[in-house]
Amino acid sequence: MPRHAPVALSEVDLADIDGFADERGYAQFDVLRAEEPVHWNPEPDGQGFWNVTRYEDVWTVDRDPETFTSTKFVNLEDIDDDLADARRSLLETDGQRHVALRHLIHREFSPRNLMKNYEAFLRQLTKQTVDRAFAAAAENDGEIDFVKLISADFPIQVLARLLDVPADHTPQLIAWGNEMVANTDPDYAKVRLDDPESEKYKHLPFRSPTVLDVWAYGNKLRESRIGGEGIDLVSILANKMPQDGVELSQADFNNYFSLLVIAGNETTRHAISQSMLGLLEQRDQLELLAADPALMETGVEELLRWASPVYHFRRTATRDVELSGKEIKEGDKVVMWFASGNRDERVFADPYKLDVTRTNVDHMTFGKGSPHLCLGNNLARLEIKLMFQELLPRLADIQLVGDVRRVRSNFVNGIKGFPVRIKEA
């Protein structure tokens, strides 16, 4: 059963970021699924939005871009029409242009290509991350911050390889990703999204001045690789023509690159962190995986369901439509709460039980089979699987020894840090 206290329907407000502290957002999801699965949510500084919380309704929205478009933006923020194109990334594109932009780097993330070009490297990189974590623990009475030394270290090293940048650039890449996607957290954001000063940056993705630094970095890489034969992601974006024959504009490249910095790091990091925390809280599952690392081949899907590192994505209705008895009007914002769908008891028996032996885990974490299925889903699966296959058999013991610090956000279901004491087998 969930550990959070129930919330009355009248108290639900998914626009309230602080209402997600200590996973209280899940209490709101529970009452919405039970009592009003499609629910109108006012916003203090916006037009309001529909909360969609049941698995089947989320899937209905996500697979129908003609009725529920991404082109009006995928976060809760209302974007002025005159700023839309400057801020538009792959996420905010539908139709053939979306297909063409995905196709640019799709091959690099195919299972076959990952196994051929990256599996051996990833296995070695995983071992190096775990080695460093145990070495650090040995110098500090066994204690480490799990997020800093494992969850954050591993995916960013992978991203550095994909971008073909030096490993010592990774701390900056991590900081940039935090500042952009966790733009409502005072520990990360230079200017918080809910700060009136953010109005000055409304022309930038995430209303974040950090984006300018990321673009400058990306364009320096791009300029050095134009005309080259590199196979890294920057070289592909610099030299490959999209299949629709429309070359990448400067804005296209900028927004594609900043999306890679976020997507190549944030989601996997938080998935690993949430998974480890879940295993610490339900230690029978930790013991199962440690005893039989082969369980990770299928158990990774249950960990991804459990972790739900992104709470939501938003769509906008292109026409009047009915959904679960509610009349949605053209232009209304419609928010798919993936984290709620992943806890829907109509689909997942005992959804608050982490069960690594659960079969056929058709979770929503990456967008299922929708047109916006996460491009890096195969890589993320491989990273998570390899990390736990390497780490768990080497652990004689692991204990949570302090507070879990969560990202202040209703978008990213993130963990900033949690201290553990580890002992090597």
Side-chain angles (χ1 to χ4, degrees):
M1 293 297 294
R3 60 174 172 266
H4 42 248
V7 173
L9 180 61
S10 61
E11 297 175 359
V12 168
D13 182 6
L14 298 184
D16 177 12
I17 296 167
D18 292 316
F20 283 73
D22 299 324
E23 298 188 291
R24 291 198 306 273
Y26 281 105
Q28 300 183 74
F29 298 150
D30 291 345
V31 71
L32 289 180
R33 286 196 310 273
E35 299 183 30
E36 195 171 20
V38 178
H39 163 270
W40 180 253
N41 201 123
E43 288 180 283
D45 300 312
Q47 69 180 59
F49 55 89
W50 291 100
N51 291 313
V52 181
T53 52
R54 284 185 183 171
Y55 183 100
E56 287 302 327
D57 288 335
V58 172
W59 180 221
T60 294
V61 173
D62 203 19
R63 69 175 183 254
D64 184 4
E66 292 186 1
T67 304
F68 302 101
T69 183
S70 300
T71 60
K72 299 298 183 180
F73 284 76
V74 298
N75 301 118
L76 289 175
E77 181 187 0
D78 295 314
I79 306 294
D80 296 338
D81 288 343
D82 61 339
L83 300 177
D85 287 340
R87 292 183 54 169
R88 190 177 310 285
S89 75
L90 176 67
L91 295 180
E92 292 91 10
T93 309
D94 283 333
Q96 290 305 306
R97 184 57 174 170
H98 177 254
V99 172
L101 291 175
R102 287 178 65 91
H103 193 263
L104 278 172
I105 62 172
H106 181 268
R107 181 178 174 275
E108 300 306 305
F109 294 108
S110 68
R112 180 179 179 181
N113 197 64
L114 288 172
M115 297 298 285
K116 176 184 176 183
N117 294 338
Y118 293 105
E119 185 182 22
F121 160 74
L122 288 172
R123 288 190 182 279
Q124 181 60 31
L125 188 58
T126 309
K127 184 178 184 303
Q128 291 172 0
T129 294
V130 175
D131 286 346
R132 285 194 294 269
F134 278 117
E139 296 178 357
N140 193 39
D141 194 29
E143 188 171 320
I144 61 168
D145 184 312
F146 187 88
V147 174
K148 180 179 180 181
L149 288 183
I150 293 181
S151 305
D153 181 78
F154 179 46
I156 202 65
Q157 299 293 338
V158 177
L159 179 63
R161 168 66 177 261
L162 292 171
L163 299 178
D164 191 20
V165 300
D168 61 6
H169 289 196
T170 57
Q172 183 63 77
L173 292 172
I174 292 174
W176 281 336
N178 288 339
E179 290 167 15
M180 288 188 291
V181 77
N183 61 351
T184 54
D185 190 302
D187 288 344
Y188 288 145
K190 290 181 177 178
V191 179
R192 270 174 32 185
L193 186 63
D194 49 359
D195 185 326
E197 188 182 351
S198 72
E199 187 72 9
K200 295 191 303 186
Y201 305 105
K202 65 182 182 180
H203 62 293
L204 299 175
F206 309 101
R207 293 199 182 198
S208 173
T210 296
V211 170
L212 297 174
D213 295 329
V214 175
W215 288 350
Y217 178 81
N219 277 287
K220 186 175 181 180
L221 296 176
R222 181 192 193 192
E223 290 166 8
S224 70
R225 297 176 193 180
I226 291 175
E229 299 180 355
I231 61 171
D232 60 277
L233 299 184
V234 177
S235 292
I236 292 171
L237 296 181
N239 297 303
K240 187 175 180 181
M241 175 68 74
Q243 64 180 13
D244 63 356
V246 180
E247 65 180 347
L248 291 186
S249 66
Q250 183 64 61
D252 288 335
F253 176 83
N254 287 344
N255 291 323
Y256 215 134
F257 183 79
S258 53
L259 179 61
L260 288 174
V261 170
I262 293 169
N265 169 37
E266 293 283 334
T267 304
T268 307
R269 172 180 24 148
H270 294 314
I272 292 172
S273 299
Q274 294 281 13
S275 296
M276 188 70 251
L277 187 59
L279 292 171
L280 286 170
E281 294 168 343
Q282 302 187 44
R283 296 190 73 91
D284 60 325
Q285 302 305 299
L286 175 64
E287 292 165 3
L288 276 174
L289 287 177
D292 184 5
L295 270 177
M296 275 302 301
E297 293 292 340
T298 55
V300 65
E301 302 304 323
E302 173 69 352
L303 292 179
L304 284 164
R305 179 193 74 84
W306 176 264
S308 295
V310 175
Y311 279 123
H312 77 262
F313 274 109
R314 162 238 175 146
R315 301 290 185 257
T316 303
T318 62
R319 60 182 177 87
D320 293 355
V321 63
E322 181 180 317
L323 184 65
S324 282
K326 295 300 178 77
E327 294 293 334
I328 296 173
K329 299 298 184 182
E330 179 182 350
D332 283 355
K333 294 191 291 188
V334 180
V335 180
M336 307 174 293
W337 292 96
F338 294 126
S340 178
N342 280 342
R343 293 292 193 278
D344 192 337
E345 47 284 300
R346 294 158 192 78
V347 178
F348 305 106
D350 198 4
Y352 285 94
K353 168 65 178 174
L354 177 58
D355 179 4
V356 296
T357 66
R358 197 188 295 265
T359 57
N360 301 319
V361 187
D362 192 17
H363 59 76
M364 327 201 83
T365 298
F366 294 124
K368 275 173 61 76
S370 74
H372 282 269
L373 171 69
C374 173
L375 260 174
N377 74 90
N378 292 311
L379 176 60
R381 285 180 163 97
L382 184 57
E383 289 182 65
I384 295 165
K385 181 181 72 173
L386 293 179
M387 174 51 67
F388 284 103
Q389 284 181 335
E390 173 69 25
L391 175 63
L392 297 187
R394 292 177 60 176
L395 283 172
D397 189 38
I398 179 170
Q399 299 289 335
L400 184 66
V401 293
D403 294 335
V404 177
R405 298 182 298 111
R406 300 184 182 277
V407 177
R408 180 183 180 269
S409 178
N410 62 356
F411 174 59
V412 58
N413 184 16
I415 297 177
K416 290 186 278 193
F418 62 93
V420 294
R421 182 168 289 112
I422 58 177
K423 182 180 178 181
E424 190 164 10

